[in-house]
Amino acid sequence: MAEVAAWEEEGEFIVIKSPYGDNIELFDNEEMLSDLLFVYGEEEDTEGLQLHRGIMGRGSRLAQGLLKSKEMTESPDANQMGWVFDTKKNVDRDMLVMALRFCYGESMRVGTRDGECCAMIATLSRLQLTCLDKVVTELKAFAISHA
């Protein structure tokens, strides 16, 4: 797997380049043959993103395991993945979407305000990203240097 590129500090932000291929034009784009509905949010305010099983399975061990399990059991919702973690706060929703876009090859720009850094570490850990250790180490070093 490709190394995560060195991070750059921009004021109170860190930019981490994605090690995944550049597929950002496919992200949440119904015209690009999506085959996975990623659902998150509260029941009364459910949101969904049009994603791709292959891209998510490559970047997230959680997605890979869940999708394989649904396929093996021939689940009727095999093309849907629900996010069971709390996204009531805007920062949690924003970091989730940023992490998913990271799986599609977009760089992350994470700040220290509003708990962004902590929310991103939690999100990446929950997604079980394949480059989790490297990225979380960089985020922790950034957070400590700005504490």
Side-chain angles (χ1 to χ4, degrees):
M1 182 170 122
E3 289 285 318
V4 175
W7 53 277
E8 318 164 5
E9 289 186 38
E10 297 179 353
E12 294 184 30
F13 294 90
I14 182 172
V15 176
I16 300 177
K17 294 181 181 168
S18 175
Y20 306 110
D22 182 10
N23 293 300
I24 197 62
E25 75 280 355
L26 303 176
F27 184 82
D28 198 26
N29 187 341
E30 291 180 19
E31 296 177 11
M32 292 299 196
L33 306 173
S34 63
D35 59 358
L36 175 65
L37 177 63
F38 185 92
V39 180
Y40 66 102
E42 298 303 305
E43 286 183 29
E44 62 274 0
D45 186 32
T46 300
E47 299 182 45
L49 298 170
Q50 297 294 323
L51 302 180
H52 299 81
R53 294 168 57 92
I55 292 172
M56 290 308 302
R58 180 191 68 210
S60 165
R61 290 183 187 100
L62 173 69
Q64 184 180 66
L66 180 63
L67 295 171
K68 278 186 179 181
S69 172
K70 286 184 171 198
E71 186 178 305
M72 289 176 59
T73 61
E74 298 178 5
S75 175
D77 67 343
N79 292 326
Q80 183 172 325
M81 181 176 167
W83 186 250
V84 298
F85 303 101
D86 185 14
T87 55
K88 289 178 188 163
K89 295 179 184 174
N90 287 340
V91 68
D92 293 322
R93 284 190 304 277
D94 294 346
M95 294 304 103
L96 174 59
V97 172
M98 188 183 301
L100 294 172
R101 292 179 68 90
F102 185 72
C103 291
Y104 275 73
E106 186 172 81
S107 294
M108 282 193 289
R109 186 171 187 254
V110 181
T112 55
R113 284 195 223 154
D114 300 324
E116 280 187 11
C117 202
C118 291
M120 181 55 81
I121 290 170
T123 299
L124 297 175
S125 298
R126 291 170 177 159
L127 277 170
Q128 300 171 22
L129 269 156
T130 56
C131 60
L132 180 66
D133 293 340
K134 176 80 171 152
V135 175
V136 168
T137 298
E138 297 293 341
L139 288 170
K140 285 180 181 177
F142 171 73
I144 290 170
S145 73
H146 285 79

